[in-house]
Amino acid sequence: MQKVWHSLLEAAAAQSGIMEPHVEYLISGILLGLSGGLSPGPLTALVMAQSIRHGPAEGAKAGLAPLVTDLPIVALAIGVLTGLRSIAPLLGGISVAGSFFLLYLAWECFTARDLEPAETPEAPRSLAKGVLTNLLNPSPYLFWFSVGAPLVLSASKSGPGAVALFFASFYLFLVGSKAGIALATGKARSLLTGRPYRWIMRALGLCLAGFAAWFFADGLGKLL
């Protein structure tokens, strides 16, 4: 299987003119970005909720959160991997704090008013909500500590070009897939009025509340 993989990498490198190690990190970035962008989670739920309430542009803004939050997380992961033996208490505290913020977002979904054709009076604050959701979500920390940072350190051995390709492909597909979710959800917005809108928002609220309960239990377990 490894021989087949390397043969595919060599073929892709020959076609693109990019060195084989660089192609490996390019493909890794694409696959990891897509899986992270399309996987269900609190940020995806928030993207959908903001798209329904305020339009796809606001949902896409919430999906930009990783571009704001990930730089300190990446730096922390690379630094901690070389020094700290256990990150469980840190992740536990983040999980518990995140559970309360997700409960607040869930409450917003439960108490959402009927969708009106006119602009909603409250400010969407989509990017700010997305940033807080991502910072208080342990998943990005787990990803960068367990997968992302080791990949970056490995890519750095092949040169800055490999690192740049990994980051560029990862965030292009991560943020791009969130924007696709926002656009698809926003297109259905005109069909969601009255009772359907309220039920959709309550379903999203239940999802966020479920994530909050999971975060709290997981964080408490790590702290204890």
Side-chain angles (χ1 to χ4, degrees):
M1 188 68 183
Q2 189 175 8
K3 291 181 178 179
V4 174
W5 174 248
H6 282 294
S7 298
L8 290 173
L9 289 176
E10 288 174 359
Q15 290 293 326
S16 62
I18 303 174
M19 291 186 296
E20 181 187 331
H22 290 49
V23 174
E24 183 176 353
Y25 294 113
L26 172 68
I27 295 173
S28 297
I30 292 171
L31 295 178
L32 289 171
L34 273 177
S35 65
L38 297 176
S39 62
L43 185 59
T44 300
L46 179 65
V47 167
M48 295 177 68
Q50 292 298 98
S51 299
I52 292 172
R53 297 182 73 184
H54 305 286
E58 292 299 325
K61 285 181 185 177
L64 292 173
L67 296 178
V68 179
T69 61
D70 279 14
L71 180 59
I73 296 175
V74 173
L76 178 66
I78 292 174
V80 166
L81 280 177
T82 60
L84 191 62
R85 290 186 177 181
S86 175
I87 61 169
L90 172 65
L91 293 176
I94 292 169
S95 294
V96 171
S99 68
F100 290 104
F101 181 66
L102 289 177
L103 278 177
Y104 162 73
L105 293 178
W107 176 253
E108 277 199 335
C109 289
F110 276 117
T111 57
R113 299 177 180 179
D114 288 351
L115 189 63
E116 300 293 340
E119 289 292 322
T120 51
E122 74 273 13
R125 293 172 289 126
S126 300
L127 182 58
K129 289 179 180 178
V131 166
L132 277 173
T133 298
N134 223 39
L135 279 176
L136 297 174
N137 179 3
S139 295
Y141 298 86
L142 287 170
F143 168 77
W144 284 110
F145 274 99
S146 61
V147 179
L151 260 175
V152 171
L153 292 173
S154 176
S156 66
K157 297 176 183 177
S158 299
V163 176
L165 275 176
F166 172 74
F167 275 116
S169 58
F170 177 78
Y171 283 106
L172 176 64
F173 282 85
L174 176 69
V175 174
S177 56
K178 295 293 187 194
I181 291 172
L183 182 61
T185 307
K187 282 186 176 293
R189 186 171 180 248
S190 60
L191 304 175
L192 300 174
T193 56
R195 183 174 294 179
Y197 170 75
R198 291 194 297 272
W199 280 111
I200 289 290
M201 294 306 295
R202 286 171 186 170
L204 290 171
L206 278 175
C207 290
L208 289 169
F211 283 120
W214 185 83
F215 280 16
F216 184 81
D218 182 66
L220 202 59
K222 286 184 172 66
L223 288 173
L224 298 178

